[in-house]
Amino acid sequence: APVRDKQSIETMEPAELLRQTRVALENSLKNYDANAIQKRLKPEEPPLAVIQDVATQWNSTYLMVNRLLALQDALLLFDMESNSVKPISKSQWKLLQSAMKNLAPFQELTLDLSKASATAGMMIPSAVLLTHKLKQLPDDGAGSMKDAIIEEMQRRFKDLEGKQAISTATFL
């Protein structure tokens, strides 16, 4: 049976969805022979490992979800062959696909700000642009996740423009 909570998956808070997905994934991976299953599905491709996210880096959640989606067929096959695990549900897979759209701008921004040419002057415009991009994304099942991300962005960056060094760097 899929991982369930008292709350419907469709109305679940983003952090709880990711927590339950991690639990389902950890259950699957306890006995998961990733290489063997992936070689059966795609013998011509090298096997992929699961990526764990880091709570303080939003782009790592993007990388984790992206890899989970890449391994979806192998994980589903393993779940079908194993009766001892609680698989990731169809609703969770659908929400993970929607979450990718909400998390993609973070990956893009992380790559931009990781370049050698990145400066402190890019921080304010990047935060504003990222928030704007998120607000423009359609609500396709992960609306509460999008709202939670926007709220957290606003909380984290509310004083950014008030920091003189960063504001000055923005104008230079």
Side-chain angles (χ1 to χ4, degrees), residues 29 32 34-35 38 46-52 63-64 67-68 70-71:
L29 294 179
Y32 176 62
N35 291 347
Q38 289 181 61
L48 300 173
V50 173
I51 296 174
Q52 292 291 324
L63 295 172
M64 177 189 73
R67 181 60 57 88
L68 284 175
L71 291 172

Side-chain angles (χ1 to χ4, degrees), residues 87-126:
I88 297 172
S89 72
K90 289 180 183 179
S91 295
Q92 285 172 310
W93 283 115
K94 184 178 177 188
L95 283 175
L96 286 172
Q97 290 169 341
S98 296
M100 286 295 296
K101 294 174 186 158
N102 291 322
L103 295 169
F106 289 95
Q107 174 66 4
E108 183 182 323
L109 182 60
T110 299
L111 294 175
D112 287 345
L113 293 178
S114 297
K115 293 177 182 174
S117 59
T119 66
M122 296 170 68
M123 290 177 69
I124 292 173
S126 295

Side-chain angles (χ1 to χ4, degrees), residues 28-169:
S28 291
L29 294 179
K30 285 181 183 172
N31 298 310
Y32 176 62
D33 185 354
N35 291 347
I37 291 175
Q38 289 181 61
K39 284 183 189 256
R40 282 175 31 209
L41 289 173
K42 297 179 183 179
E44 68 286 348
E45 295 182 19
L48 300 173
V50 173
I51 296 174
Q52 292 291 324
D53 67 334
V54 179
T56 58
Q57 296 178 336
W58 286 332
N59 73 306
S60 71
T61 304
Y62 170 86
L63 295 172
M64 177 189 73
V65 172
N66 189 42
R67 181 60 57 88
L68 284 175
L69 292 171
L71 291 172
Q72 183 176 3
D73 290 341
L75 287 168
L76 289 171
L77 179 61
F78 175 76
D79 288 340
M80 287 178 11
E81 293 176 352
S82 170
N83 295 325
S84 64
V85 298
K86 294 181 178 180
I88 297 172
S89 72
K90 289 180 183 179
S91 295
Q92 285 172 310
W93 283 115
K94 184 178 177 188
L95 283 175
L96 286 172
Q97 290 169 341
S98 296
M100 286 295 296
K101 294 174 186 158
N102 291 322
L103 295 169
F106 289 95
Q107 174 66 4
E108 183 182 323
L109 182 60
T110 299
L111 294 175
D112 287 345
L113 293 178
S114 297
K115 293 177 182 174
S117 59
T119 66
M122 296 170 68
M123 290 177 69
I124 292 173
S126 295
V128 170
L129 181 61
L130 182 57
T131 302
H132 178 72
K133 276 186 174 183
L134 288 170
K135 287 179 179 177
Q136 299 303 313
L137 290 173
D139 287 334
D140 58 353
S144 65
M145 178 177 283
K146 180 176 91 167
D147 294 341
I149 292 170
I150 291 170
E151 185 177 305
E152 183 64 15
M153 286 278 306
Q154 291 169 338
R155 186 189 68 75
R156 287 187 185 196
F157 297 115
K158 69 179 178 188
D159 297 328
L160 192 60
E161 292 179 29
K163 297 186 186 295
Q164 186 173 358
I166 295 175
S167 292
T168 302

